[in-house]
Amino acid sequence: MIWKSLLVFAACLANVWGLPATSELDARQSQSKYVFAHFMVGIVENYQLADWIEDMKTAQEIGIDGFALNCASIDKYTPTQLALAYQAAEQVNFKVFISFDFAYWSNGDTEKITAYMKQYANHPAQMQYNGGALVSTFVGDSFNWGPVKQNTPHKIWSVPNLQDPSAAASNGGRGVDGAFSWYAWPTDGGNSIIPSPMTTIWDDRFIKSLNGQTYMAPVSPWFSTHFNSKNWVFICEDLPTLRWEQMLRLKPQLIEIISWNDYGESHHIGPYSANHSDDGSSQWAKDMPHDAWRNLYKPYIKAYKEGASAPTVEKEEVVYWYRPTPKDTPCSGDTLPRPNGVNMLHDSIFVATMLKEPGTLIVTSGSKQPVSIDVPAGIVTTNVSMGVGTQKFWVTRGGKAVLSGWSKYDVKDSCKYWNYNVYVGSITTIG
Ligand SMILES: *[C@@H]1O[C@H](CO)[C@@H](O)[C@H](O)[C@H]1NC(C)=O
Ligand SMILES: *[C@@H]1O[C@H](CO)[C@@H](O)[C@H](O)[C@H]1NC(C)=O
């Protein structure tokens, strides 16, 4: 009893002195790892509770802990959809937090941002980290979180996106507890496009500059967009596995997958939802599922959370991804130019083998000769040269097929619109 009251007393003192309370120290010591996915609220104006629940359950199946709810200030339906998201998350025991999109919010919005934090910081579905309500952003580098924290009764843990990693060194002055990087694709900064491979150069800069503060690292499988205002690709052909291998070495405190449903930038791993509003991206995202990437991500998420250095394959599978056409195929009906960066892409079929024991991968791409590659156990991405036509995949072991099947999607030699998004499929049986 005495010890208990002493502890309570110490915790109170700690609060008075601005030191972490014991419960927060416990939370910090436990070093739990969490994986979130970036969710665009801006395209779900018409979502019902059931739509949210479906997305959240699908995310939970692969070990995602929560959605970072990307919100614009201008969408009149933001309050309605946030309320539904928090309600759905509470029902299925999922977590959410707001990611204020500062392409729309500004430094003058402190009051409105505080109002949102007051409303949700202690909601049962709010993601808490180190005893505080997690909040993040897209850009908004110079926003001061101090006043938001002071005027919200519940503790806040702010991990905004910073474009310049060195700015993290002055986080304290802006009431900030960490940083989230948006450099999920090979780049020299901003939207500059460089050839692969992706490295951790940006992560390393963040971690150095954060000096122990929370680092939320970005993981993304792809990037291709084709809007009037934004028309480029990043070179991420082996990124679906390479980036996770980097994360297993780097072991950041938090990971945010970019994205769950940003069909516009082709990096979604969520289903192509029936009830989202189409911003024009259906031209390249419809009928180009990415679902099999979730099967690929699942063992990596588990390994990351366990601190393992490699994923464990529980179910043998082949996951493949490829673009609809060879990159120089002329498209007949497009008024926009080809996206920037496509000249750096390879005309390849990418195949991640998820195997418990070594095997031989055989790929027949269109009219090309079958290509046979010995692959080790574990998860490995290989590639073969792209041929127009049907795509067939086998894995054999000791001369016997263990996995085989055709993709439902053929590589074509004609197109109406430039499309550098990928079709993602998988093979789990002998078919
Ligand atoms: C999607 O919208 C349709 C039509 O409004 C509705 O019938 C359906 O239930 C919605 N899906 C979910 C999962 O709620
Ligand atoms: C394709 O595989 C080869 C052989 O392993 C490798 O050298 C090359 O980098 C791969 N290409 C791409 C684009 O991943």
Side-chain angles (χ1 to χ4, degrees):
M1 283 305 278
I2 291 174
W3 277 112
K4 180 112 198 262
S5 16
L6 268 181
L7 277 177
V8 169
F9 178 65
C12 295
L13 272 185
N15 274 341
V16 168
W17 293 337
L19 296 171
T22 43
S23 61
E24 292 160 27
L25 286 173
D26 290 345
R28 224 166 287 186
Q29 277 153 7
S30 74
Q31 292 289 325
S32 287
K33 300 268 199 274
Y34 297 100
V35 177
F36 310 114
H38 199 76
F39 188 106
M40 306 300 284
V41 178
I43 60 162
V44 299
E45 174 174 8
N46 300 315
Y47 255 31
Q48 307 289 320
L49 189 66
D51 297 294
W52 281 106
I53 287 176
E54 195 175 297
D55 273 329
M56 289 173 180
K57 283 184 165 170
T58 307
Q60 276 176 319
E61 277 168 22
I62 63 161
I64 292 174
D65 300 288
F67 284 152
L69 300 169
N70 176 285
C71 292
S73 55
I74 52 166
D75 298 329
K76 60 180 189 317
Y77 49 85
T78 296
T80 320
Q81 289 304 332
L82 277 182
L84 285 174
Y86 274 87
Q87 187 187 346
E90 187 179 357
Q91 277 190 27
V92 300
N93 198 20
F94 194 62
K95 297 294 176 221
V96 285
F97 59 94
I98 300 176
S99 177
F100 292 94
D101 189 332
F102 273 76
Y104 303 95
W105 298 87
S106 71
N107 285 354
D109 286 327
T110 302
E111 272 183 38
K112 281 159 92 181
I113 288 173
T114 306
Y116 274 115
M117 293 314 292
K118 276 178 152 168
Q119 185 177 357
Y120 287 115
N122 63 355
H123 191 286
Q126 164 68 41
M127 177 66 205
Q128 305 290 341
Y129 188 67
N130 286 338
L134 189 62
V135 62
S136 190
T137 64
F138 173 69
V139 300
D141 307 43
S142 59
F143 184 71
N144 185 359
W145 288 89
V148 179
K149 286 180 164 180
Q150 279 148 30
N151 294 305
T152 305
H154 189 90
K155 191 182 152 181
I156 289 174
W157 198 264
S158 62
V159 183
N161 169 218
L162 294 182
Q163 293 162 88
D164 175 6
S166 67
S170 55
N171 265 352
R174 297 187 310 278
V176 169
D177 304 294
F180 168 46
S181 162
W182 197 258
Y183 297 116
W185 312 278
T187 178
D188 280 336
N191 292 318
S192 71
I193 305 154
I194 59 172
S196 57
M198 175 77 182
T199 69
T200 56
I201 185 166
W202 289 100
D203 306 287
D204 297 337
R205 286 174 189 159
F206 272 101
I207 289 167
K208 183 158 182 269
S209 176
L210 281 163
N211 194 23
Q213 280 198 319
T214 306
Y215 179 51
M216 183 151 71
V219 168
S220 185
W222 202 254
F223 190 109
S224 167
T225 186
H226 190 50
F227 290 109
N228 204 358
S229 53
K230 144 169 147 175
N231 188 22
W232 74 88
V233 299
F234 283 117
I235 313 306
C236 5
E237 302 177 304
D238 52 1
L239 217 52
T241 53
L242 176 62
R243 186 58 178 160
W244 277 111
E245 285 156 22
Q246 293 171 352
M247 292 300 105
L248 297 190
R249 284 195 296 275
L250 199 69
K251 305 184 192 302
Q253 291 103 319
L254 302 174
I255 286 178
E256 185 170 318
I257 295 166
I258 305 172
S259 65
W260 184 256
N261 66 344
D262 194 341
Y263 313 116
E265 294 182 354
S266 312
H267 44 50
H268 54 287
I269 62 159
Y272 191 74
S273 83
N275 291 351
H276 77 279
S277 35
D278 183 16
D279 55 5
S281 60
S282 57
Q283 186 188 302
W284 54 90
K286 193 168 177 281
D287 302 324
M288 297 283 280
H290 288 184
D291 302 284
W293 271 340
R294 291 199 302 279
N295 305 358
L296 194 54
Y297 271 24
K298 185 176 180 173
Y300 281 112
I301 291 173
K302 187 160 185 276
Y304 160 72
K305 288 188 179 180
E306 289 170 351
S309 58
T312 301
V313 174
E314 277 164 16
K315 190 167 155 285
E316 297 204 312
E317 181 166 352
V318 163
V319 175
Y320 52 82
W321 56 96
Y322 53 87
R323 304 188 320 267
T325 60
K327 65 182 177 183
D328 291 330
T329 307
C331 297
S332 59
D334 208 324
T335 54
L336 294 180
R338 273 210 313 179
N340 283 334
V342 300
N343 56 315
M344 289 182 231
L345 293 170
H346 298 88
D347 283 337
S348 301
I349 308 293
F350 294 87
V351 188
T353 40
M354 305 167 71
L355 299 180
K356 291 182 184 176
E357 290 170 52
T360 303
L361 170 70
I362 305 164
V363 182
T364 305
S365 183
S367 55
K368 292 189 184 291
Q369 288 302 306
V371 177
S372 207
I373 303 160
D374 287 332
V375 283
I379 306 185
V380 179
T381 296
T382 43
N383 66 80
V384 305
S385 179
M386 176 188 275
V388 171
T390 57
Q391 310 297 317
K392 173 138 207 217
F393 306 88
W394 293 261
V395 173
T396 64
R397 193 176 284 136
K400 279 177 63 181
V402 288
L403 294 169
S404 73
W406 272 276
S407 170
K408 290 198 186 93
Y409 188 83
D410 287 359
V411 172
K412 295 162 197 68
D413 59 2
S414 67
C415 46
K416 189 160 181 203
Y417 304 106
W418 306 113
N419 189 351
Y420 295 88
N421 182 17
V422 275
Y423 180 91
V424 185
S426 90
I427 290 166
T428 55
T429 57
I430 303 177

